[in-house]
Amino acid sequence: MKDPKAHPTKAFRAAILHSLANPTDVGLENSYQYFEDGMLLVADGHIVNVGHAEDILPMLDASIEVVELDGKLIMPGFIDTHIHYPQTGMIAAYGDQLIDWLNNYTFPEERRFEDDDYARDVAVHFLDELARNGTTTALVFGTVHKSSVDVFFQEAEKRNLRMIAGKVLMDRNAPDDLTDTPESGYADSKALIEKWHNKGRLHYAITPRFAPTSSSEQLRLAGKLRQEYPDVYLHTHLSENPKEIEWVAELFPDSKNYLDVYDSHGLLSNRSVFAHGIHLCEQECARLAETDSAIAFCPTSNLFLGSGLFPLSKMEQSGIKVGMGTDVGAGTSFSLLQTMSEAYKVMQLQGEKLHPLKSLYQATLGGAKALSLDNDIGNLEVGKEADFVVIDLHATQLMKFRMEHAESLEDKLFVLMTLGDDRAVFDTYSYGQSVYPVNNR
Ligand code: GUN
Ligand code: ZN
């Protein structure tokens, strides 16, 4: 990556929009930067300048290639803080809520990942789909099979993506051929950490599926791994569905609440990401905030499985970091734009408005903060890694027509988030290189 000939300095000219901070903390006006005729200068995978084209152009050496993106909008790459790559082949499965959906659709599909060739094929489709949707970083579930994660990391490494993934830990309440043991889960996770964690742009997440499918002994060993590797992530599900919550109370009668199952096994930290957290009590919220743990808000999944309405404001008021997750395959779209559109509706149903600049923050810098990666990614500040997406605001006939009636930047952004999806993604760059699927061009 250090060979300057392989990665020459490149300039990208387009409108540029990125978040600088959470609008809830600094107000809308101070939360973003926008350059109508902007320029992004990229060298060696990093952003070396960003600003008005008229200011940067005179400084450019004649040898520097300028990529003219007339009429396009550059934004930071989207960050998906919760997704399952093995569920790509069963997205949009009809009729069930969480527990039945897992038994009827998810487990049968995840069994197929015993076969490495199948796993690789899905991983390639999955990574193409992320790129097609402008997602440059994701926190990803594998299956219980160690090799499912090996294969995933191999494919992510080829594209030089900043990805976090982990092998599922599951030693009970699941089909026999999909379970590990506390010891084998520990050993397999450890081997994967040694092989992949912090290799290039890759990171490992210890991944117990959720409390009902892990014994206390398995969770204890997950906690041991966390102690041995303190900068490794912890990724699991939490408080998604009322029946699930009742089940956890039966399985762990000594725990104060659902979160306490994880807490009592040493699984909470600033590297812990819990998907959903829809039905949390005050105590659980306080503990998440105290430990700087994050929640992944997954609106398309929460609606699709009928799980409930995520109380975003309550979470933020409690001081909890929140990122956005698609949760494919319970989620119904890989697109963070569509995910924000559904988030808006979830907030409408609670009598609240989710501002488009807040949505932009949630899908980019907020996600990076939730993953403790905001020193490297999340916006287009100088020094950060050059992960960005080139948006076509006129991608469909309807968007084109509607944009004519959009006056302000905020209007345009809201239309993009409400009507846009993968069709609005013109190109996706990871570490300064396009990763957009060749078969789409
Ligand atoms: N809880 C446990 N496993 C899963 C899963 O695969 N998807 C979702 N949405 N929730 C879960
Ligand atoms: Zn999930």
Side-chain angles (χ1 to χ4, degrees), residues 355-370:
H355 194 279
L357 286 167
K358 172 78 174 177
S359 297
L360 171 69
Y361 169 81
Q362 291 295 146
T364 56
L365 188 58
K369 283 185 193 288

Side-chain angles (χ1 to χ4, degrees), residues 32 35 38 97 146 187 225 228 276 347 423:
Y32 71 100
F35 305 102
Q97 296 213 350
K146 180 185 176 195
L225 268 178
E228 289 167 353
H276 310 302
M347 299 315 289
R423 292 169 295 178

Side-chain angles (χ1 to χ4, degrees), residues 71-348:
K72 302 291 190 294
L73 172 68
I74 289 178
M75 304 204 302
F78 298 123
I79 297 179
D80 189 338
T81 62
H82 178 67
I83 187 165
H84 301 249
Y85 103 79
Q87 295 175 12
T88 307
M90 49 133 318
I91 187 172
Y94 173 78
D96 289 329
Q97 296 213 350
L98 178 63
I99 306 299
D100 294 329
W101 175 85
L102 283 173
N103 288 319
N104 293 335
Y105 298 111
T106 314
F107 292 154
E109 176 60 19
E110 291 193 7
R111 250 187 213 122
R112 301 178 73 179
F113 286 72
E114 201 187 356
D115 174 356
D116 288 2
D117 291 340
Y118 184 72
R120 189 177 302 280
D121 188 46
V122 177
V124 167
H125 274 93
F126 173 86
L127 290 169
D128 274 355
E129 206 57 49
L130 290 189
R132 188 176 286 121
N133 283 280
T135 300
T136 47
T137 287
L139 175 55
V140 183
F141 258 67
T143 63
V144 76
H145 313 95
K146 180 185 176 195
S147 59
S148 73
V149 176
D150 223 11
V151 159
F152 177 80
F153 277 136
Q154 285 166 21
E155 294 303 321
E157 189 179 38
K158 283 185 198 162
R159 299 165 191 234
N160 204 9
L161 296 164
R162 200 170 262 294
M163 284 284 152
I164 313 168
K167 179 206 110 69
V168 166
L169 300 171
M170 182 154 71
D171 69 346
R172 63 171 175 170
N173 295 323
D176 284 348
D177 52 357
L178 272 184
T179 51
D180 53 11
T181 66
E183 295 74 25
S184 74
Y186 171 86
D188 286 351
S189 303
K190 194 178 176 86
L192 287 165
I193 291 169
E194 292 284 344
K195 182 166 177 191
W196 291 108
H197 184 58
N198 293 338
K199 180 160 189 234
R201 305 181 78 205
L202 306 173
H203 309 280
Y204 193 80
I206 302 161
T207 309
R209 175 165 224 118
F210 67 157
T213 47
S214 282
S215 65
S216 183
E217 177 59 6
Q218 180 158 68
L219 295 177
R220 188 185 70 77
L221 287 177
K224 182 165 183 262
L225 268 178
R226 257 200 31 72
Q227 280 188 343
E228 289 167 353
Y229 301 95
D231 72 333
V232 157
Y233 290 84
L234 184 288
H235 184 199
T236 188
H237 296 93
L238 170 70
S239 198
E240 177 178 5
N241 169 291
K243 281 198 188 141
E244 168 210 17
I245 297 166
E246 275 173 36
W247 195 20
V248 171
E250 283 164 26
L251 291 168
F252 295 93
D254 297 336
S255 289
K256 286 184 271 197
N257 50 51
Y258 193 157
L259 184 70
D260 190 47
V261 175
Y262 299 132
D263 200 2
S264 59
H265 292 91
L267 301 180
L268 274 57
S269 83
N270 67 350
R271 297 264 162 154
S272 301
V273 180
F274 298 93
H276 310 302
I278 304 171
H279 312 283
L280 299 173
C281 67
E282 298 297 328
Q283 255 184 325
E284 290 171 300
C285 291
R287 235 357 240 158
L288 286 168
E290 242 169 58
T291 55
D292 203 22
S293 301
I295 294 277
F297 172 21
C298 308
T300 76
S301 166
N302 297 165
L303 295 172
F304 184 72
L305 291 183
S307 303
L309 302 176
F310 181 72
L312 176 61
S313 302
K314 180 180 149 194
M315 294 294 124
E316 286 209 324
Q317 279 153 20
S318 304
I320 301 167
K321 296 181 300 192
V322 178
M324 298 307 302
T326 61
D327 194 25
V328 165
T332 50
S333 173
F334 279 80
S335 170
L336 261 300
L337 295 172
Q338 276 305 291
T339 302
M340 295 318 310
S341 175
E342 298 303 291
Y344 177 81
K345 296 169 194 171
V346 165
M347 299 315 289
Q348 280 280 50

Side-chain angles (χ1 to χ4, degrees), residues 396-414:
T396 67
Q397 288 302 320
L398 179 60
M399 285 176 74
K400 194 170 164 200
F401 184 67
R402 177 64 180 86
M403 285 296 173
E404 283 169 19
H405 303 267
E407 277 163 20
S408 66
L409 173 66
E410 297 170 18
D411 280 351
K412 287 182 190 163
L413 192 57
F414 187 63

